[in-house]
């Protein structure tokens, strides 16, 4: 707890709309399938969803037209104020619940992370490996819903498909696979 408390003011009128927020799907908190997923993993999933829009605008797509992101352990450690072991556990937890898949690219290259859409159709067979005491076996599914479409920004601009600047200002250039 901080020793000196800051005195924050209230929101007045339209000021309440001035901030950008991370979105975390309500489904992660209400569907019993996700009841064993830690709150930190749910937050990381929300951070990854936020990064998806930048990847889409940069046209970061694999040969199957799936959007991917790059999110290094170092960035997770910084954003979630945790250590390397915790960051690795959070990635593993998201993989266990089939919320992400990672494609390793070799030493020195960050993995490509494919964030999965929890509102798309998923069969029980795909989630059969997530069957432990933390998951209600009566609800081992993700409900069907309409898949959300990505849209270009208002100016219609799309960044170069092979360029990326992460949230720490570090610039990457990749060859499209």
């Amino acid at each position: 707890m901080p020793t000196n408390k800051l005195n924050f003011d209230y929101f007045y009128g339209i000021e309440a709309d001035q901030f950008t927020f991370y979105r975390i799907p309500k489904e992660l908190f209400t569907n019993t399938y996700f009841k064993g997923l830690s709150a930190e993993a749910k937050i990381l999933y929300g951070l990854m969803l936020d990064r998806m829009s930048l990847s889409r605008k940069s046209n970061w797509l694999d040969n199957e037209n799936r959007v991917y992101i790059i999110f290094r352990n170092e960035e997770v450690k910084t954003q979630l104020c945790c250590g390397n072991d915790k960051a690795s556990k959070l990635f593993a937890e998201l993989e266990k619940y089939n919320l992400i898949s990672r494609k390793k690219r070799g030493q020195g290259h960050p993995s490509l992370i494919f964030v999965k859409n929890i509102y798309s159709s998923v069969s029980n067979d795909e989630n059969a490996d997530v069957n432990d005491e933390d998951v209600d076996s009566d609800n081992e599914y993700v409900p069907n819903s309409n898949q959300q479409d990505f849209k270009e920004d208002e100016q219609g601009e799309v960044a170069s498909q092979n360029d990326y600047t992460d949230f720490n200002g570090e610039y990457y250039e990749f060859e499209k696979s």
Side-chain angles (χ1 to χ4, degrees), residues 83-100:
N84 196 53
D85 288 345
K86 181 66 172 186
S88 296
K89 280 182 173 181
L90 293 173
F91 279 123
E93 194 175 351
L94 291 174
E95 283 181 311
K96 176 182 174 184
Y97 279 83
N98 203 25
L99 292 170
I100 64 168

Side-chain angles (χ1 to χ4, degrees), residues 1 11 32 44 90 94 97 118 123-125 137 150 160-161 167 174:
M1 183 136 169
F11 286 101
T32 56
L44 179 55
L90 293 173
L94 291 174
Y97 279 83
I118 65 172
S123 71
N124 283 341
D125 293 339
S137 60
F150 291 101
S160 168
Q161 68 186 39
F167 292 98
F174 297 105

Side-chain angles (χ1 to χ4, degrees), residues 154-170:
E154 292 175 9
Q155 292 79 24
E157 294 180 13
V158 177
S160 168
Q161 68 186 39
N162 296 327
D163 298 342
Y164 172 71
T165 303
D166 71 10
F167 292 98
N168 295 322
E170 195 170 331

Side-chain angles (χ1 to χ4, degrees), residues 3-4 9 19-20 27-29 34 50 56-57 62 85 92-93 100 104 118 142 149 169 176-177:
T3 55
N4 295 330
D9 200 5
F19 294 105
T20 302
E27 194 74 21
L28 294 178
F29 297 94
F34 300 112
D50 183 64
R56 175 62 185 115
K57 287 177 184 177
D62 71 355
D85 288 345
E93 194 175 351
I100 64 168
K104 297 187 186 229
I118 65 172
V142 178
D149 293 327
K176 191 168 182 179
S177 53

Side-chain angles (χ1 to χ4, degrees), residues 22-24 41-55 67-73 76 79 87 90-92 94-95 99-102 113-116 150 167:
Y22 292 113
R23 293 187 217 174
I24 302 172
K42 292 172 184 179
I43 292 169
L44 179 55
Y45 183 79
L47 295 173
M48 290 178 165
L49 288 177
D50 183 64
R51 192 161 290 195
M52 289 286 291
S53 62
L54 176 61
S55 289
V67 179
Y68 61 85
I69 66 171
I70 293 177
F71 210 139
R72 296 175 183 252
N73 267 21
V76 173
Q79 290 191 4
L90 293 173
F91 279 123
L94 291 174
E95 283 181 311
L99 292 170
I100 64 168
S101 64
R102 292 185 282 181
I113 301 172
F114 295 89
V115 181
K116 297 188 179 180
F150 291 101
F167 292 98

